[in-house]
Amino acid sequence: MAAATTYSELIERVLAGDIRALARAASIVESQSKPARDLIAALFARTGHAMIVGITGPPGAGKSTLVDQLARVIRGQGRTVGIIAVDPSSPFTHGAILGDRIRMQDHHADPGVFIRSMATRGRLGGIAQATLEMSLLLDAAGRDVVMIETVGVGQDEVEVASLADVTAVVLVPGLGDDVQAIKAGIMEVADVFAINKADLPGAERLEQEIRAMQSLGAESERANSAPVRRVVATEGRGVEELLAVIEAVFAKRKRKGERAGTWAVRLRELLREDLMTGLPEHDVQAHAQRVAMKLEDPYTAVDSLRKAICG
Amino acid sequence: MSIPIRVLVAKPGLDGHDRGAKVIARALRDAGMEVIYTGLRQTPEMIVNAALQEDVQVIGLSILSGAHNAIVPRVMELLREKGMTDVIVVVGGIIPDEDAAELKQLGVAEVFQPGASLDKIITFIRDSVKQVA
């Protein structure tokens, strides 16, 4: 009972715009404990107001700088911003250096921009372990736009697309030949393409390649091709136009009611996490030994482990 | 897996000597901590705002320029203003003994002068966080 009272007070403060309370709530959410679940459950009814934007792309594409500039434009329109900036955890020490704030320094005097750095904490796919929960928290806290900046991704880390209403893939000229463009993965989850560093040679060619890739799709797909915009994030060039395109995609999605589909993906992921948490580590190790020694086949091992979880 | 300690490593002041801050950030990462690194030329306001949003348990300030007597008191004052007195502040850099004593009077938990070992810093942070919790 005491816990519930603490939360109701914390929640009240979060909803009243208390930044310290929001930061504390974010730490609870990130701990992925029972309190984290209680907190999100209590706040869930208040979510659904924010536009959640995923910003992904390869390392060095300028994601942080672009997020910083988008925040500037959104604030200029009088709306508030929450930013989740993800960087990788070390798989060996679990430590991390979270450096995205280096490129987001201009908003420090503005309570309308809340930036939270997250380490992946072992989660693959370009996002952190509790990214969904963090975006729900920021949404419930009344942030009008929530941006999720992924770690620098390769070709296959597409999880942000299941968390975001709109996913923007940031590319830069000179990364690879046109074969890269038709590969599956991040190119497919883009709702919007942002070609950053568009003042560099090769920007036009990159845009042509993306458009050429899109023209190869089926006719139904072609009609829904992701818009491509060129930006120079360091100078803020093209950022307003990019935001306008993101908003247009969001508006269209909302009209079509596509959010339920996204929730199906999220629920599957939450269930998977939930089951994995219940997995006794020493059982995993014991079965691993048996499989390695060929005393057991992997499927029998998985069967036993499933029984260990589900009872 | 236990929840990692979160530390803000900041380099206030106008000089560009961030090698020390980077070495510390790297060492704390290797010790399993999550280090929010904000880079050069941080004002006290920027530092405290970042610490507030990131809900860090520890702030590490690297100061080599001699400006510690201007910067650190302001950081401590802002922390008090925002009710963040439970955040542990450590300072590293070229700090004369008499200044170090004064900074500690202001509430700085420890001052690490040239020659302090990384192990000592890591151990201090771990122990202090345990005490607060």
Side-chain angles (χ1 to χ4, degrees), chain A residues 137-187:
Chain A
L137 171 67
L138 293 176
D139 183 352
R143 299 281 146 171
D144 297 316
V145 179
V146 175
M147 289 190 271
I148 303 171
E149 183 197 333
T150 70
V151 304
V153 300
Q155 295 169 328
D156 200 24
E157 292 123 312
V158 298
E159 279 209 42
V160 70
S162 70
L163 305 184
D165 295 314
V166 183
T167 304
V169 171
V170 186
L171 296 172
V172 284
L175 279 182
D177 58 27
D178 49 359
V179 184
Q180 300 293 344
I182 40 176
K183 285 191 177 161
I186 67 165
M187 301 301 283

Side-chain angles (χ1 to χ4, degrees), chain A:
Chain A
M1 281 315 283
T5 327
T6 327
Y7 285 137
S8 57
E9 196 207 315
L10 184 68
I11 288 169
E12 245 170 64
R13 285 171 56 206
V14 167
L15 296 178
D18 180 337
I19 302 291
R20 181 111 213 259
L22 178 56
R24 198 40 64 82
S27 297
I28 294 172
V29 161
E30 209 184 2
S31 74
Q32 291 212 301
S33 48
K34 172 86 171 56
R37 290 179 169 209
D38 294 346
L39 191 58
I40 293 296
L43 282 167
F44 187 71
R46 299 192 178 258
T47 65
H49 154 83
M51 172 172 78
I52 318 271
V53 183
I55 308 281
T56 189
K63 295 181 292 297
S64 303
T65 309
L66 190 56
V67 165
D68 179 61
Q69 289 295 324
L70 284 166
R72 181 183 55 81
V73 174
I74 295 162
R75 288 299 292 141
Q77 299 168 345
R79 294 184 296 167
T80 57
V81 180
I83 297 170
I84 302 170
V86 186
D87 269 326
S89 297
S90 157
F92 304 110
T93 66
H94 306 304
I97 291 189
L98 311 174
D100 290 320
R101 292 188 84 101
I102 295 174
R103 319 223 185 281
M104 304 178 188
Q105 307 263 9
D106 289 345
H107 312 289
H108 67 89
D110 178 6
V113 179
F114 182 88
I115 306 169
R116 184 66 175 221
S117 309
M118 291 182 86
T120 52
R121 296 194 180 172
R123 175 73 166 262
L124 301 174
I127 56 172
Q129 197 58 261
T131 311
L132 168 64
E133 291 84 343
M134 194 68 81
S135 68
L136 290 172
L137 171 67
L138 293 176
D139 183 352
R143 299 281 146 171
D144 297 316
V145 179
V146 175
M147 289 190 271
I148 303 171
E149 183 197 333
T150 70
V151 304
V153 300
Q155 295 169 328
D156 200 24
E157 292 123 312
V158 298
E159 279 209 42
V160 70
S162 70
L163 305 184
D165 295 314
V166 183
T167 304
V169 171
V170 186
L171 296 172
V172 284
L175 279 182
D177 58 27
D178 49 359
V179 184
Q180 300 293 344
I182 40 176
K183 285 191 177 161
I186 67 165
M187 301 301 283
E188 285 179 297
V189 300
D191 299 310
V192 178
F193 284 103
I195 298 177
N196 190 23
K197 310 187 192 181
D199 51 342
L200 294 180
E204 196 174 322
R205 188 167 155 208
L206 178 57
E207 181 170 346
Q208 284 166 1
E209 283 169 2
I210 295 167
R211 291 194 190 283
M213 171 193 77
Q214 291 174 331
S215 74
L216 294 175
E219 202 156 332
S220 59
E221 266 176 57
R222 255 177 277 162
N224 289 319
S225 281
V228 184
R229 287 294 176 277
R230 291 193 219 173
V231 295
V232 182
T234 48
E235 295 166 16
R237 263 198 279 161
V239 176
E240 275 172 54
E241 293 80 354
L242 177 66
L243 180 66
V245 172
I246 290 171
E247 305 264 13
V249 172
F250 179 60
K252 200 166 141 193
R253 285 248 157 116
K254 228 169 147 180
R255 270 201 311 276
K256 284 164 76 181
E258 286 178 12
R259 279 184 166 185
T262 321
W263 269 108
V265 181
R266 293 173 186 174
L267 288 180
R268 274 187 216 109
E269 181 55 35
L270 286 174
L271 177 63
R272 197 187 63 79
E273 264 172 38
D274 190 66
L275 291 173
M276 294 301 279
T277 336
L279 191 60
E281 181 59 26
H282 67 274
D283 284 11
V284 178
Q285 295 297 342
H287 281 287
Q289 287 244 333
R290 292 176 58 79
V291 173
M293 290 162 70
K294 305 272 195 287
L295 296 171
E296 190 176 66
D297 72 81
Y299 302 102
T300 310
V302 167
D303 268 345
S304 318
L305 288 172
R306 193 182 50 243
K307 279 172 198 143
I309 298 170
C310 301

